[in-house]
Amino acid sequence: MKITSIVVEDEQNSRELLVNILNNYCPDVEILGQATGVAEAIQLIRTHQPDLVFLDIELQDGMGFDIFKNFTE
């Protein structure tokens, strides 16, 4: 069973490292998209409804926790 996910990270090197680790060591984790900021992450989550979000805390356009305010249950 695949676990669908989205990676939210504004630093390119960190984002690429995490994606490479997931691709190499976690074959059951499917990355549906990548976001670099709050607005982009909200749109990806609404579009794909992933099982898991890898979320950076400090993003260039806000805090990762700001994303939570846009979703209920």
Side-chain angles (χ1 to χ4, degrees):
M1 178 176 130
K2 288 279 188 182
I3 298 170
T4 59
S5 69
I6 291 174
V7 174
V8 182
E9 170 61 69
D10 58 340
E11 295 180 21
Q12 183 176 352
N13 290 340
S14 297
R15 189 175 59 251
E16 289 174 357
L17 177 62
L18 177 56
V19 168
N20 285 333
I21 289 170
L22 291 170
N23 286 335
N24 289 324
Y25 298 103
C26 303
D28 292 334
V29 176
E30 178 183 1
I31 301 169
L32 300 176
Q34 300 174 38
T36 60
V38 172
E40 189 179 9
I42 292 168
Q43 179 153 357
L44 277 176
I45 292 168
R46 284 195 173 133
T47 300
H48 296 290
Q49 297 183 355
D51 299 316
L52 177 65
V53 176
F54 293 94
L55 182 60
D56 186 14
I57 300 301
E58 291 185 35
L59 300 165
Q60 290 180 353
D61 63 345
M63 299 295 286
F65 294 114
D66 295 335
I67 296 168
F68 296 143
K69 297 174 186 173
N70 292 275
F71 299 95
T72 58
E73 296 182 29

PDB file of all heavy atoms in Angstrom, residues 10-48:
ATOM      1  N   ASP A  10      11.239  25.185   1.891  1.00  0.00           N
ATOM      2  CA  ASP A  10      11.642  26.303   1.046  1.00  0.00           C
ATOM      3  C   ASP A  10      13.123  26.276   0.654  1.00  0.00           C
ATOM      4  O   ASP A  10      13.513  26.940  -0.294  1.00  0.00           O
ATOM      5  CB  ASP A  10      11.284  27.642   1.691  1.00  0.00           C
ATOM      6  CG  ASP A  10      11.907  27.841   3.056  1.00  0.00           C
ATOM      7  OD1 ASP A  10      12.302  26.844   3.689  1.00  0.00           O
ATOM      8  OD2 ASP A  10      11.994  29.000   3.501  1.00  0.00           O
ATOM      9  N   GLU A  11      13.925  25.510   1.341  1.00  0.00           N
ATOM     10  CA  GLU A  11      15.344  25.419   0.992  1.00  0.00           C
ATOM     11  C   GLU A  11      15.539  24.263   0.010  1.00  0.00           C
ATOM     12  O   GLU A  11      15.293  23.097   0.336  1.00  0.00           O
ATOM     13  CB  GLU A  11      16.184  25.211   2.242  1.00  0.00           C
ATOM     14  CG  GLU A  11      16.134  26.409   3.180  1.00  0.00           C
ATOM     15  CD  GLU A  11      16.980  26.208   4.425  1.00  0.00           C
ATOM     16  OE1 GLU A  11      17.891  25.360   4.406  1.00  0.00           O
ATOM     17  OE2 GLU A  11      16.710  26.908   5.413  1.00  0.00           O
ATOM     18  N   GLN A  12      15.984  24.600  -1.186  1.00  0.00           N
ATOM     19  CA  GLN A  12      16.084  23.625  -2.265  1.00  0.00           C
ATOM     20  C   GLN A  12      16.949  22.420  -1.907  1.00  0.00           C
ATOM     21  O   GLN A  12      16.560  21.280  -2.158  1.00  0.00           O
ATOM     22  CB  GLN A  12      16.625  24.282  -3.534  1.00  0.00           C
ATOM     23  CG  GLN A  12      16.686  23.326  -4.711  1.00  0.00           C
ATOM     24  CD  GLN A  12      17.131  23.995  -5.990  1.00  0.00           C
ATOM     25  OE1 GLN A  12      17.268  25.214  -6.056  1.00  0.00           O
ATOM     26  NE2 GLN A  12      17.362  23.213  -7.019  1.00  0.00           N
ATOM     27  N   ASN A  13      18.117  22.643  -1.318  1.00  0.00           N
ATOM     28  CA  ASN A  13      19.001  21.522  -0.982  1.00  0.00           C
ATOM     29  C   ASN A  13      18.352  20.571   0.020  1.00  0.00           C
ATOM     30  O   ASN A  13      18.453  19.348  -0.122  1.00  0.00           O
ATOM     31  CB  ASN A  13      20.334  22.027  -0.425  1.00  0.00           C
ATOM     32  CG  ASN A  13      21.191  22.692  -1.483  1.00  0.00           C
ATOM     33  OD1 ASN A  13      21.003  22.474  -2.675  1.00  0.00           O
ATOM     34  ND2 ASN A  13      22.125  23.509  -1.045  1.00  0.00           N
ATOM     35  N   SER A  14      17.687  21.118   1.020  1.00  0.00           N
ATOM     36  CA  SER A  14      17.011  20.279   2.020  1.00  0.00           C
ATOM     37  C   SER A  14      15.863  19.506   1.388  1.00  0.00           C
ATOM     38  O   SER A  14      15.655  18.324   1.684  1.00  0.00           O
ATOM     39  CB  SER A  14      16.484  21.142   3.162  1.00  0.00           C
ATOM     40  OG  SER A  14      17.555  21.766   3.836  1.00  0.00           O
ATOM     41  N   ARG A  15      15.104  20.189   0.519  1.00  0.00           N
ATOM     42  CA  ARG A  15      13.980  19.540  -0.157  1.00  0.00           C
ATOM     43  C   ARG A  15      14.474  18.390  -1.030  1.00  0.00           C
ATOM     44  O   ARG A  15      13.936  17.279  -0.986  1.00  0.00           O
ATOM     45  CB  ARG A  15      13.206  20.568  -0.971  1.00  0.00           C
ATOM     46  CG  ARG A  15      11.902  20.059  -1.553  1.00  0.00           C
ATOM     47  CD  ARG A  15      11.117  21.155  -2.258  1.00  0.00           C
ATOM     48  NE  ARG A  15      11.861  21.758  -3.348  1.00  0.00           N
ATOM     49  CZ  ARG A  15      12.368  22.987  -3.343  1.00  0.00           C
ATOM     50  NH1 ARG A  15      12.221  23.765  -2.291  1.00  0.00           N
ATOM     51  NH2 ARG A  15      13.019  23.459  -4.386  1.00  0.00           N
ATOM     52  N   GLU A  16      15.515  18.637  -1.811  1.00  0.00           N
ATOM     53  CA  GLU A  16      16.063  17.598  -2.687  1.00  0.00           C
ATOM     54  C   GLU A  16      16.623  16.432  -1.890  1.00  0.00           C
ATOM     55  O   GLU A  16      16.454  15.273  -2.277  1.00  0.00           O
ATOM     56  CB  GLU A  16      17.136  18.188  -3.598  1.00  0.00           C
ATOM     57  CG  GLU A  16      16.581  19.104  -4.664  1.00  0.00           C
ATOM     58  CD  GLU A  16      17.656  19.795  -5.484  1.00  0.00           C
ATOM     59  OE1 GLU A  16      18.871  19.621  -5.203  1.00  0.00           O
ATOM     60  OE2 GLU A  16      17.286  20.535  -6.411  1.00  0.00           O
ATOM     61  N   LEU A  17      17.281  16.706  -0.776  1.00  0.00           N
ATOM     62  CA  LEU A  17      17.821  15.646   0.074  1.00  0.00           C
ATOM     63  C   LEU A  17      16.697  14.763   0.620  1.00  0.00           C
ATOM     64  O   LEU A  17      16.774  13.532   0.555  1.00  0.00           O
ATOM     65  CB  LEU A  17      18.628  16.238   1.227  1.00  0.00           C
ATOM     66  CG  LEU A  17      19.190  15.231   2.237  1.00  0.00           C
ATOM     67  CD1 LEU A  17      20.162  14.271   1.557  1.00  0.00           C
ATOM     68  CD2 LEU A  17      19.864  15.962   3.388  1.00  0.00           C
ATOM     69  N   LEU A  18      15.649  15.376   1.141  1.00  0.00           N
ATOM     70  CA  LEU A  18      14.526  14.606   1.680  1.00  0.00           C
ATOM     71  C   LEU A  18      13.864  13.767   0.591  1.00  0.00           C
ATOM     72  O   LEU A  18      13.577  12.587   0.793  1.00  0.00           O
ATOM     73  CB  LEU A  18      13.497  15.535   2.328  1.00  0.00           C
ATOM     74  CG  LEU A  18      12.240  14.855   2.874  1.00  0.00           C
ATOM     75  CD1 LEU A  18      12.587  13.762   3.885  1.00  0.00           C
ATOM     76  CD2 LEU A  18      11.307  15.883   3.483  1.00  0.00           C
ATOM     77  N   VAL A  19      13.647  14.349  -0.571  1.00  0.00           N
ATOM     78  CA  VAL A  19      13.032  13.608  -1.682  1.00  0.00           C
ATOM     79  C   VAL A  19      13.916  12.425  -2.075  1.00  0.00           C
ATOM     80  O   VAL A  19      13.416  11.314  -2.288  1.00  0.00           O
ATOM     81  CB  VAL A  19      12.758  14.544  -2.880  1.00  0.00           C
ATOM     82  CG1 VAL A  19      12.405  13.745  -4.127  1.00  0.00           C
ATOM     83  CG2 VAL A  19      11.654  15.529  -2.543  1.00  0.00           C
ATOM     84  N   ASN A  20      15.212  12.628  -2.151  1.00  0.00           N
ATOM     85  CA  ASN A  20      16.131  11.529  -2.500  1.00  0.00           C
ATOM     86  C   ASN A  20      16.111  10.425  -1.441  1.00  0.00           C
ATOM     87  O   ASN A  20      16.112   9.238  -1.780  1.00  0.00           O
ATOM     88  CB  ASN A  20      17.555  12.050  -2.691  1.00  0.00           C
ATOM     89  CG  ASN A  20      17.729  12.791  -4.001  1.00  0.00           C
ATOM     90  OD1 ASN A  20      17.017  12.533  -4.958  1.00  0.00           O
ATOM     91  ND2 ASN A  20      18.664  13.720  -4.025  1.00  0.00           N
ATOM     92  N   ILE A  21      16.100  10.797  -0.184  1.00  0.00           N
ATOM     93  CA  ILE A  21      16.045   9.799   0.892  1.00  0.00           C
ATOM     94  C   ILE A  21      14.754   8.996   0.799  1.00  0.00           C
ATOM     95  O   ILE A  21      14.766   7.767   0.882  1.00  0.00           O
ATOM     96  CB  ILE A  21      16.179  10.473   2.279  1.00  0.00           C
ATOM     97  CG1 ILE A  21      17.607  10.983   2.480  1.00  0.00           C
ATOM     98  CG2 ILE A  21      15.785   9.500   3.400  1.00  0.00           C
ATOM     99  CD1 ILE A  21      17.788  11.875   3.690  1.00  0.00           C
ATOM    100  N   LEU A  22      13.644   9.690   0.614  1.00  0.00           N
ATOM    101  CA  LEU A  22      12.357   8.998   0.503  1.00  0.00           C
ATOM    102  C   LEU A  22      12.340   8.067  -0.704  1.00  0.00           C
ATOM    103  O   LEU A  22      11.879   6.920  -0.609  1.00  0.00           O
ATOM    104  CB  LEU A  22      11.211  10.004   0.418  1.00  0.00           C
ATOM    105  CG  LEU A  22      10.944  10.802   1.695  1.00  0.00           C
ATOM    106  CD1 LEU A  22       9.962  11.931   1.420  1.00  0.00           C
ATOM    107  CD2 LEU A  22      10.439   9.903   2.803  1.00  0.00           C
ATOM    108  N   ASN A  23      12.825   8.546  -1.833  1.00  0.00           N
ATOM    109  CA  ASN A  23      12.833   7.722  -3.053  1.00  0.00           C
ATOM    110  C   ASN A  23      13.720   6.489  -2.898  1.00  0.00           C
ATOM    111  O   ASN A  23      13.377   5.412  -3.379  1.00  0.00           O
ATOM    112  CB  ASN A  23      13.279   8.537  -4.263  1.00  0.00           C
ATOM    113  CG  ASN A  23      12.209   9.510  -4.739  1.00  0.00           C
ATOM    114  OD1 ASN A  23      11.025   9.306  -4.518  1.00  0.00           O
ATOM    115  ND2 ASN A  23      12.643  10.580  -5.375  1.00  0.00           N
ATOM    116  N   ASN A  24      14.842   6.636  -2.206  1.00  0.00           N
ATOM    117  CA  ASN A  24      15.798   5.531  -2.079  1.00  0.00           C
ATOM    118  C   ASN A  24      15.470   4.544  -0.965  1.00  0.00           C
ATOM    119  O   ASN A  24      15.773   3.357  -1.078  1.00  0.00           O
ATOM    120  CB  ASN A  24      17.208   6.073  -1.873  1.00  0.00           C
ATOM    121  CG  ASN A  24      17.759   6.722  -3.126  1.00  0.00           C
ATOM    122  OD1 ASN A  24      17.498   6.278  -4.232  1.00  0.00           O
ATOM    123  ND2 ASN A  24      18.522   7.785  -2.958  1.00  0.00           N
ATOM    124  N   TYR A  25      14.875   5.024   0.126  1.00  0.00           N
ATOM    125  CA  TYR A  25      14.709   4.174   1.295  1.00  0.00           C
ATOM    126  C   TYR A  25      13.250   3.927   1.712  1.00  0.00           C
ATOM    127  O   TYR A  25      13.007   3.113   2.603  1.00  0.00           O
ATOM    128  CB  TYR A  25      15.464   4.765   2.494  1.00  0.00           C
ATOM    129  CG  TYR A  25      16.950   4.842   2.247  1.00  0.00           C
ATOM    130  CD1 TYR A  25      17.557   6.048   1.921  1.00  0.00           C
ATOM    131  CD2 TYR A  25      17.740   3.694   2.302  1.00  0.00           C
ATOM    132  CE1 TYR A  25      18.919   6.114   1.680  1.00  0.00           C
ATOM    133  CE2 TYR A  25      19.100   3.760   2.056  1.00  0.00           C
ATOM    134  CZ  TYR A  25      19.683   4.971   1.742  1.00  0.00           C
ATOM    135  OH  TYR A  25      21.026   5.039   1.494  1.00  0.00           O
ATOM    136  N   CYS A  26      12.343   4.626   1.103  1.00  0.00           N
ATOM    137  CA  CYS A  26      10.928   4.484   1.481  1.00  0.00           C
ATOM    138  C   CYS A  26      10.076   4.258   0.227  1.00  0.00           C
ATOM    139  O   CYS A  26       9.336   5.158  -0.201  1.00  0.00           O
ATOM    140  CB  CYS A  26      10.454   5.730   2.226  1.00  0.00           C
ATOM    141  SG  CYS A  26      11.410   6.108   3.692  1.00  0.00           S
ATOM    142  N   PRO A  27      10.181   3.090  -0.367  1.00  0.00           N
ATOM    143  CA  PRO A  27       9.468   2.853  -1.624  1.00  0.00           C
ATOM    144  C   PRO A  27       7.949   2.916  -1.500  1.00  0.00           C
ATOM    145  O   PRO A  27       7.259   3.091  -2.510  1.00  0.00           O
ATOM    146  CB  PRO A  27       9.934   1.454  -2.029  1.00  0.00           C
ATOM    147  CG  PRO A  27      10.368   0.804  -0.761  1.00  0.00           C
ATOM    148  CD  PRO A  27      10.904   1.915   0.099  1.00  0.00           C
ATOM    149  N   ASP A  28       7.428   2.793  -0.297  1.00  0.00           N
ATOM    150  CA  ASP A  28       5.979   2.857  -0.103  1.00  0.00           C
ATOM    151  C   ASP A  28       5.462   4.287   0.035  1.00  0.00           C
ATOM    152  O   ASP A  28       4.252   4.501   0.127  1.00  0.00           O
ATOM    153  CB  ASP A  28       5.564   2.051   1.126  1.00  0.00           C
ATOM    154  CG  ASP A  28       5.755   0.560   0.924  1.00  0.00           C
ATOM    155  OD1 ASP A  28       5.731   0.112  -0.242  1.00  0.00           O
ATOM    156  OD2 ASP A  28       5.928  -0.155   1.916  1.00  0.00           O
ATOM    157  N   VAL A  29       6.370   5.272   0.057  1.00  0.00           N
ATOM    158  CA  VAL A  29       5.963   6.673   0.156  1.00  0.00           C
ATOM    159  C   VAL A  29       6.017   7.284  -1.241  1.00  0.00           C
ATOM    160  O   VAL A  29       7.077   7.386  -1.848  1.00  0.00           O
ATOM    161  CB  VAL A  29       6.868   7.464   1.127  1.00  0.00           C
ATOM    162  CG1 VAL A  29       6.489   8.933   1.134  1.00  0.00           C
ATOM    163  CG2 VAL A  29       6.783   6.876   2.526  1.00  0.00           C
ATOM    164  N   GLU A  30       4.857   7.670  -1.735  1.00  0.00           N
ATOM    165  CA  GLU A  30       4.754   8.299  -3.055  1.00  0.00           C
ATOM    166  C   GLU A  30       4.643   9.807  -2.870  1.00  0.00           C
ATOM    167  O   GLU A  30       3.739  10.293  -2.186  1.00  0.00           O
ATOM    168  CB  GLU A  30       3.522   7.771  -3.784  1.00  0.00           C
ATOM    169  CG  GLU A  30       3.314   8.401  -5.135  1.00  0.00           C
ATOM    170  CD  GLU A  30       2.048   7.916  -5.818  1.00  0.00           C
ATOM    171  OE1 GLU A  30       1.309   7.096  -5.232  1.00  0.00           O
ATOM    172  OE2 GLU A  30       1.788   8.368  -6.934  1.00  0.00           O
ATOM    173  N   ILE A  31       5.546  10.562  -3.465  1.00  0.00           N
ATOM    174  CA  ILE A  31       5.546  12.019  -3.359  1.00  0.00           C
ATOM    175  C   ILE A  31       4.683  12.577  -4.490  1.00  0.00           C
ATOM    176  O   ILE A  31       5.016  12.435  -5.667  1.00  0.00           O
ATOM    177  CB  ILE A  31       6.975  12.577  -3.429  1.00  0.00           C
ATOM    178  CG1 ILE A  31       7.809  11.988  -2.298  1.00  0.00           C
ATOM    179  CG2 ILE A  31       6.947  14.101  -3.361  1.00  0.00           C
ATOM    180  CD1 ILE A  31       9.286  12.265  -2.414  1.00  0.00           C
ATOM    181  N   LEU A  32       3.584  13.199  -4.119  1.00  0.00           N
ATOM    182  CA  LEU A  32       2.645  13.736  -5.098  1.00  0.00           C
ATOM    183  C   LEU A  32       3.015  15.141  -5.537  1.00  0.00           C
ATOM    184  O   LEU A  32       2.595  15.583  -6.608  1.00  0.00           O
ATOM    185  CB  LEU A  32       1.227  13.749  -4.520  1.00  0.00           C
ATOM    186  CG  LEU A  32       0.658  12.407  -4.096  1.00  0.00           C
ATOM    187  CD1 LEU A  32      -0.711  12.603  -3.456  1.00  0.00           C
ATOM    188  CD2 LEU A  32       0.573  11.463  -5.277  1.00  0.00           C
ATOM    189  N   GLY A  33       3.765  15.854  -4.707  1.00  0.00           N
ATOM    190  CA  GLY A  33       4.138  17.214  -5.055  1.00  0.00           C
ATOM    191  C   GLY A  33       5.070  17.813  -4.030  1.00  0.00           C
ATOM    192  O   GLY A  33       5.283  17.250  -2.953  1.00  0.00           O
ATOM    193  N   GLN A  34       5.610  18.967  -4.411  1.00  0.00           N
ATOM    194  CA  GLN A  34       6.525  19.691  -3.538  1.00  0.00           C
ATOM    195  C   GLN A  34       6.114  21.155  -3.530  1.00  0.00           C
ATOM    196  O   GLN A  34       5.741  21.705  -4.566  1.00  0.00           O
ATOM    197  CB  GLN A  34       7.956  19.574  -4.048  1.00  0.00           C
ATOM    198  CG  GLN A  34       8.464  18.152  -4.127  1.00  0.00           C
ATOM    199  CD  GLN A  34       9.834  18.078  -4.770  1.00  0.00           C
ATOM    200  OE1 GLN A  34      10.685  18.928  -4.555  1.00  0.00           O
ATOM    201  NE2 GLN A  34      10.046  17.047  -5.563  1.00  0.00           N
ATOM    202  N   ALA A  35       6.192  21.773  -2.356  1.00  0.00           N
ATOM    203  CA  ALA A  35       5.842  23.180  -2.211  1.00  0.00           C
ATOM    204  C   ALA A  35       6.963  23.910  -1.491  1.00  0.00           C
ATOM    205  O   ALA A  35       7.666  23.327  -0.673  1.00  0.00           O
ATOM    206  CB  ALA A  35       4.538  23.326  -1.435  1.00  0.00           C
ATOM    207  N   THR A  36       7.099  25.184  -1.810  1.00  0.00           N
ATOM    208  CA  THR A  36       8.130  25.990  -1.165  1.00  0.00           C
ATOM    209  C   THR A  36       7.555  27.025  -0.212  1.00  0.00           C
ATOM    210  O   THR A  36       8.297  27.731   0.447  1.00  0.00           O
ATOM    211  CB  THR A  36       9.000  26.703  -2.219  1.00  0.00           C
ATOM    212  OG1 THR A  36       8.156  27.543  -3.015  1.00  0.00           O
ATOM    213  CG2 THR A  36       9.714  25.702  -3.100  1.00  0.00           C
ATOM    214  N   GLY A  37       6.234  27.133  -0.160  1.00  0.00           N
ATOM    215  CA  GLY A  37       5.620  28.123   0.706  1.00  0.00           C
ATOM    216  C   GLY A  37       4.232  27.718   1.158  1.00  0.00           C
ATOM    217  O   GLY A  37       3.687  26.693   0.738  1.00  0.00           O
ATOM    218  N   VAL A  38       3.648  28.560   2.002  1.00  0.00           N
ATOM    219  CA  VAL A  38       2.359  28.279   2.621  1.00  0.00           C
ATOM    220  C   VAL A  38       1.247  28.174   1.583  1.00  0.00           C
ATOM    221  O   VAL A  38       0.500  27.187   1.545  1.00  0.00           O
ATOM    222  CB  VAL A  38       2.020  29.358   3.686  1.00  0.00           C
ATOM    223  CG1 VAL A  38       0.610  29.195   4.206  1.00  0.00           C
ATOM    224  CG2 VAL A  38       3.031  29.309   4.825  1.00  0.00           C
ATOM    225  N   ALA A  39       1.102  29.178   0.733  1.00  0.00           N
ATOM    226  CA  ALA A  39       0.009  29.192  -0.246  1.00  0.00           C
ATOM    227  C   ALA A  39       0.103  28.003  -1.201  1.00  0.00           C
ATOM    228  O   ALA A  39      -0.907  27.353  -1.497  1.00  0.00           O
ATOM    229  CB  ALA A  39       0.022  30.504  -1.024  1.00  0.00           C
ATOM    230  N   GLU A  40       1.295  27.718  -1.663  1.00  0.00           N
ATOM    231  CA  GLU A  40       1.505  26.595  -2.564  1.00  0.00           C
ATOM    232  C   GLU A  40       1.184  25.264  -1.867  1.00  0.00           C
ATOM    233  O   GLU A  40       0.567  24.375  -2.462  1.00  0.00           O
ATOM    234  CB  GLU A  40       2.954  26.609  -3.052  1.00  0.00           C
ATOM    235  CG  GLU A  40       3.265  25.633  -4.138  1.00  0.00           C
ATOM    236  CD  GLU A  40       4.723  25.732  -4.587  1.00  0.00           C
ATOM    237  OE1 GLU A  40       5.531  26.440  -3.953  1.00  0.00           O
ATOM    238  OE2 GLU A  40       5.031  25.084  -5.594  1.00  0.00           O
ATOM    239  N   ALA A  41       1.565  25.140  -0.610  1.00  0.00           N
ATOM    240  CA  ALA A  41       1.292  23.919   0.151  1.00  0.00           C
ATOM    241  C   ALA A  41      -0.204  23.714   0.345  1.00  0.00           C
ATOM    242  O   ALA A  41      -0.715  22.599   0.179  1.00  0.00           O
ATOM    243  CB  ALA A  41       1.989  23.978   1.501  1.00  0.00           C
ATOM    244  N   ILE A  42      -0.914  24.776   0.663  1.00  0.00           N
ATOM    245  CA  ILE A  42      -2.361  24.680   0.851  1.00  0.00           C
ATOM    246  C   ILE A  42      -3.026  24.189  -0.421  1.00  0.00           C
ATOM    247  O   ILE A  42      -3.886  23.300  -0.390  1.00  0.00           O
ATOM    248  CB  ILE A  42      -2.941  26.036   1.306  1.00  0.00           C
ATOM    249  CG1 ILE A  42      -2.463  26.364   2.720  1.00  0.00           C
ATOM    250  CG2 ILE A  42      -4.464  26.042   1.223  1.00  0.00           C
ATOM    251  CD1 ILE A  42      -2.723  27.786   3.154  1.00  0.00           C
ATOM    252  N   GLN A  43      -2.620  24.734  -1.540  1.00  0.00           N
ATOM    253  CA  GLN A  43      -3.207  24.315  -2.818  1.00  0.00           C
ATOM    254  C   GLN A  43      -2.901  22.840  -3.114  1.00  0.00           C
ATOM    255  O   GLN A  43      -3.790  22.086  -3.527  1.00  0.00           O
ATOM    256  CB  GLN A  43      -2.697  25.186  -3.960  1.00  0.00           C
ATOM    257  CG  GLN A  43      -3.270  24.737  -5.291  1.00  0.00           C
ATOM    258  CD  GLN A  43      -3.367  25.841  -6.294  1.00  0.00           C
ATOM    259  OE1 GLN A  43      -3.057  26.981  -6.003  1.00  0.00           O
ATOM    260  NE2 GLN A  43      -3.807  25.505  -7.473  1.00  0.00           N
ATOM    261  N   LEU A  44      -1.662  22.413  -2.894  1.00  0.00           N
ATOM    262  CA  LEU A  44      -1.299  21.010  -3.142  1.00  0.00           C
ATOM    263  C   LEU A  44      -2.074  20.058  -2.225  1.00  0.00           C
ATOM    264  O   LEU A  44      -2.531  19.003  -2.669  1.00  0.00           O
ATOM    265  CB  LEU A  44       0.203  20.803  -2.933  1.00  0.00           C
ATOM    266  CG  LEU A  44       1.116  21.153  -4.083  1.00  0.00           C
ATOM    267  CD1 LEU A  44       2.576  20.987  -3.662  1.00  0.00           C
ATOM    268  CD2 LEU A  44       0.818  20.308  -5.293  1.00  0.00           C
ATOM    269  N   ILE A  45      -2.224  20.437  -0.973  1.00  0.00           N
ATOM    270  CA  ILE A  45      -2.946  19.587  -0.034  1.00  0.00           C
ATOM    271  C   ILE A  45      -4.415  19.474  -0.445  1.00  0.00           C
ATOM    272  O   ILE A  45      -4.987  18.386  -0.440  1.00  0.00           O
ATOM    273  CB  ILE A  45      -2.806  20.113   1.406  1.00  0.00           C
ATOM    274  CG1 ILE A  45      -1.352  19.960   1.877  1.00  0.00           C
ATOM    275  CG2 ILE A  45      -3.756  19.377   2.351  1.00  0.00           C
ATOM    276  CD1 ILE A  45      -1.034  20.702   3.157  1.00  0.00           C
ATOM    277  N   ARG A  46      -5.004  20.592  -0.823  1.00  0.00           N
ATOM    278  CA  ARG A  46      -6.408  20.553  -1.258  1.00  0.00           C
ATOM    279  C   ARG A  46      -6.574  19.727  -2.533  1.00  0.00           C
ATOM    280  O   ARG A  46      -7.544  18.991  -2.678  1.00  0.00           O
ATOM    281  CB  ARG A  46      -6.917  21.969  -1.486  1.00  0.00           C
ATOM    282  CG  ARG A  46      -7.206  22.680  -0.200  1.00  0.00           C
ATOM    283  CD  ARG A  46      -8.030  23.930  -0.412  1.00  0.00           C
ATOM    284  NE  ARG A  46      -8.397  24.466   0.894  1.00  0.00           N
ATOM    285  CZ  ARG A  46      -8.276  25.731   1.231  1.00  0.00           C
ATOM    286  NH1 ARG A  46      -7.832  26.611   0.361  1.00  0.00           N
ATOM    287  NH2 ARG A  46      -8.631  26.133   2.425  1.00  0.00           N
ATOM    288  N   THR A  47      -5.645  19.843  -3.437  1.00  0.00           N
ATOM    289  CA  THR A  47      -5.734  19.124  -4.708  1.00  0.00           C
ATOM    290  C   THR A  47      -5.514  17.632  -4.541  1.00  0.00           C
ATOM    291  O   THR A  47      -6.267  16.823  -5.076  1.00  0.00           O
ATOM    292  CB  THR A  47      -4.698  19.682  -5.709  1.00  0.00           C
ATOM    293  OG1 THR A  47      -4.968  21.071  -5.923  1.00  0.00           O
ATOM    294  CG2 THR A  47      -4.745  18.944  -7.031  1.00  0.00           C
ATOM    295  N   HIS A  48      -4.485  17.256  -3.790  1.00  0.00           N
ATOM    296  CA  HIS A  48      -4.074  15.848  -3.719  1.00  0.00           C
ATOM    297  C   HIS A  48      -4.568  15.097  -2.483  1.00  0.00           C
ATOM    298  O   HIS A  48      -4.558  13.873  -2.473  1.00  0.00           O
ATOM    299  CB  HIS A  48      -2.550  15.740  -3.796  1.00  0.00           C
ATOM    300  CG  HIS A  48      -1.997  16.208  -5.095  1.00  0.00           C
ATOM    301  ND1 HIS A  48      -2.170  15.518  -6.261  1.00  0.00           N
ATOM    302  CD2 HIS A  48      -1.276  17.301  -5.411  1.00  0.00           C
ATOM    303  CE1 HIS A  48      -1.577  16.151  -7.253  1.00  0.00           C
ATOM    304  NE2 HIS A  48      -1.024  17.255  -6.761  1.00  0.00           N
TER     305      HIS A  48
END
